Each structure stands twice: as C-alpha cells, then as structure tokens.
Amino acid sequence: MRHIFKEQAPHNLSRFIERENPRLWSEIHTSTFYPHLYDECLAQLCKEQSNLSGYTEKPLPSQTKSLHIDHFRKRSLFPIRDYVFGWDNLLADEHNINYGADYKDNMISSVVAYQKLVNSVVHDPHHFFTYMENGHIVPRRQLGSVEREIAEYTISVFNLQHPSLVNKREEIIRIVRSYLQGGLTSDDLKACLGDYGFPSVVEYALQQL
C-alpha cells in the first residue's frame, strides 16, 4: 500500500450534490445534468493514484469496464452522505474477488473493524509495512503490538499475500537486482519499471542493494 494524496473533488461532483441532493450512490449513474459524472470521478481517482490500485499498488487495467469506484468505508455500514459521496472515501480499483477492494468488502461486516484497518488516504502505509525477498508484505519490526495488529489485519482484509501479488513482488525484486548489477542507476531503473507498478516494492529493493 502507498499513501494517496487526494485532490479537490471534481467540481461537477460538488454541483451534483448541491443541485440534486442525492441519497444513494446509484444516483450518480442516473443524473440528467451530469451524465458523465461517474467516469469523470473515476478518471480523477486513477490520476490521483498514478493509475495504481489504492490497496495493492498493482497497475490498474486500461479498460474502464474492469474498474470501479470503491468506497473504503462500505456504503452498507456508512450510509450517510459524507461517506457515500465523500471524496476522501473514494478510491479506484479493479474488480477482483481475490484481493483489493472486492475482497475487503466481503471481509468487513462491522463499523468497528475500520479501527484496525490502514487507510491509505489518512495513514502512511510505509510506517506499517515492509517486504521480504520472497515477495511477502510484512509488518515492520519496530511496530508496537497495537500497530502490528493493525498491519496484520490490513494484510488479511485486502488479501495482500495472495500468490499472484507475492509472485509479482518477488519478480520485481529480482529484476531490480539484475538491472543494478547490469549498471543501471536507480533513476533509470525506476523509469524502466514504471509500467510494472508496485513502487513501494521497487523502493524496498533499492534499499536492500
């Protein structure tokens, strides 16, 4: 996970809320005055996240039909407008039942669970997580018992140890090692690996070599 710096909400989202007084998220798809609002919001979220998942750091698919706007705090548990349409509660992610947003929504069933979950908009995930050479994401050693529990719970809720994610992170660490041995500088290497995603893994690998 990586800290996400949020921009101002799209102007049309604010106008939509003021003008149409929506109650349900589904109304964003049926607005007469702002028919492209959902796509506009999704595009800005992707830009804020550097086209990476806000949970896994995996590159987001280029086809928008494979993407969706996720509510970090689920609408079923937080139905008030501040969360349903609150920009800081919205993140872009791919549809994938194995990890990320979809997996999180199936794992969380209570409001109190969010007290044990790292929020990449509010927190700096680098404080909580580091990596291993085998691609696993793990809590940092210096964490106290409470923060370690938060880190472990977050890894579980988003299923960040899914084999496909672990394998990709391990592959990136191997590539970093190979490229550096081949004489590439850190800056050149980051540029070469831009399409691979997982920038926190690249940074970890560079620190180890």
Side-chain angles (χ1 to χ4, degrees):
M1 298 179 74
R2 196 170 187 82
H3 185 48
I4 297 171
F5 296 93
K6 301 289 284 186
E7 301 175 0
Q8 290 292 323
H11 182 60
N12 282 342
L13 177 61
S14 301
R15 294 179 64 186
F16 164 70
I17 294 171
E18 293 172 3
R19 183 169 187 171
E20 302 190 24
N21 192 30
R23 300 287 181 181
L24 301 175
W25 178 249
S26 58
E27 294 176 65
I28 199 171
H29 297 289
T30 59
S31 172
T32 300
F33 297 102
Y34 307 99
H36 304 295
L37 180 56
Y38 184 89
D39 291 338
E40 182 181 343
C41 290
L42 182 59
Q44 181 168 321
L45 290 170
C46 290
K47 179 182 177 183
E48 287 178 351
Q49 297 169 209
S50 301
N51 289 311
L52 302 173
S53 166
Y55 305 124
T56 67
E57 295 190 35
K58 182 181 174 183
L60 294 172
S62 57
Q63 295 183 340
T64 56
K65 66 180 181 180
S66 300
L67 301 173
H68 70 116
I69 295 176
D70 176 62
H71 289 74
F72 175 77
R73 293 177 176 82
K74 294 167 57 172
R75 286 174 282 140
S76 60
L77 297 175
F78 296 85
I80 63 174
R81 183 183 297 171
D82 285 351
Y83 291 114
V84 174
F85 293 99
W87 190 246
D88 285 353
N89 194 43
L90 305 181
L91 295 171
D93 203 7
E94 66 175 320
H95 276 302
N96 192 315
I97 62 172
N98 295 313
Y99 46 75
D102 289 344
Y103 194 89
K104 174 259 298 179
D105 286 347
N106 288 326
M107 288 287 290
I108 291 186
S109 59
S110 68
V111 170
V112 70
Y114 284 90
Q115 297 177 9
K116 300 188 299 178
L117 198 62
V118 174
N119 181 343
S120 54
V121 173
V122 177
H123 307 115
D124 181 3
H126 288 175
H127 173 75
F128 292 90
F129 306 113
T130 187
Y131 301 91
M132 299 177 65
E133 291 293 308
N134 62 7
H136 281 75
I137 182 172
V138 294
R140 288 192 179 275
R141 284 186 181 177
Q142 65 268 31
L143 296 178
S145 59
V146 174
E147 289 188 328
R148 174 171 290 274
E149 181 181 359
I150 290 172
E152 291 173 344
Y153 183 68
T154 301
I155 291 171
S156 174
V157 164
F158 292 107
N159 201 21
L160 299 180
Q161 303 291 33
H162 187 273
S164 67
L165 297 176
V166 172
N167 291 341
K168 190 63 178 180
R169 292 192 292 253
E170 184 180 21
E171 176 190 359
I172 289 172
I173 292 170
R174 289 200 307 268
I175 291 173
V176 169
R177 186 184 300 275
S178 175
Y179 280 15
L180 286 180
Q181 291 175 347
L184 263 69
T185 67
S186 296
D187 289 340
D188 288 341
L189 190 148
K190 289 179 181 179
C192 290
L193 294 178
D195 292 337
Y196 279 71
F198 301 93
S200 295
V201 179
V202 175
E203 292 168 5
Y204 161 82
L206 288 172
Q207 292 169 0
Q208 306 306 306
L209 301 173

